[in-house]
Amino acid sequence: MSITYHPAEDVQSLVREVIERLSLAHIDPNRVFCFRSRGSRSRRGIARCYSLSKIWQKALSIPSYYIVEVISERYDALSEENKVKVIIHELLHIPKAFGGGLRPHIGCVTRRVVEENYCRFIASKNNTDQ
Ligand SMILES: [Zn+2]
């Protein structure tokens, strides 16, 4: 079975919500595409973040774009809390410059930073729900 990709509206709106609640002003939500993949049984992981490298931007005369892919077989079964954490994790890979690179796990995208941001997300949610 080959892998298929589908635009993921639910992920797109969660990405927007996370960007807004965490005030991730360096991320342009209009330049983050979200896809759900299926049929990727052999691959590990729940989600992935892709960048468009500088040389491709130059060749195509377009600005930077990012893609968040969630792997349906693993992501869809998660609780809402864990889905938010996965999206926070992927968005943390996007560097402040939004220039086409990706930040590494070590020192940047760690469990601790994800947890801190999740606390801020919940605090923001509780504020607006009142
Ligand atoms: Zn990661």
Side-chain angles (χ1 to χ4, degrees):
M1 189 173 148
S2 66
I3 187 163
T4 58
Y5 298 99
H6 309 269
E9 271 308 316
D10 57 320
V11 180
Q12 197 83 48
S13 58
L14 185 52
V15 161
R16 282 180 184 275
E17 187 182 355
V18 169
I19 289 171
E20 205 164 295
R21 292 198 187 283
L22 299 181
S23 305
L24 304 177
H26 60 288
I27 301 178
D28 179 351
N30 297 316
R31 287 200 267 145
V32 179
F33 295 118
C34 299
F35 282 87
R36 172 176 274 100
S37 66
R38 289 201 175 85
S40 55
R41 282 191 192 90
S42 64
R43 288 193 305 145
R44 296 165 85 77
I46 300 165
R48 290 181 72 177
C49 188
Y50 300 82
S51 65
L52 184 69
S53 63
K54 274 198 159 55
I55 195 160
W56 273 111
Q57 296 171 37
K58 183 96 179 164
L60 300 171
S61 299
I62 57 172
S64 63
Y65 285 91
Y66 286 86
I67 292 175
V68 172
E69 173 202 359
V70 299
I71 289 112
S72 176
E73 291 85 344
R74 297 171 194 274
Y75 176 85
D76 293 351
L78 295 178
S79 64
E80 281 311 306
E81 174 176 339
N82 282 326
K83 281 179 178 166
V84 171
K85 287 179 181 175
V86 165
I87 297 307
I88 290 172
H89 176 114
E90 297 312 320
L91 293 180
L92 285 172
H93 278 301
I94 299 177
K96 289 278 187 279
F98 202 76
L102 286 171
R103 301 199 310 160
H105 286 124
I106 295 168
C108 295
V109 188
T110 62
R111 197 177 190 84
R112 188 178 60 83
V113 179
V114 169
E115 292 297 331
E116 283 169 5
N117 279 282
Y118 182 72
C119 286
R120 286 207 294 128
F121 178 91
I122 292 301
S124 157
K125 214 175 159 69
N126 290 339
N127 266 334
T128 48
D129 285 353
Q130 274 163 15

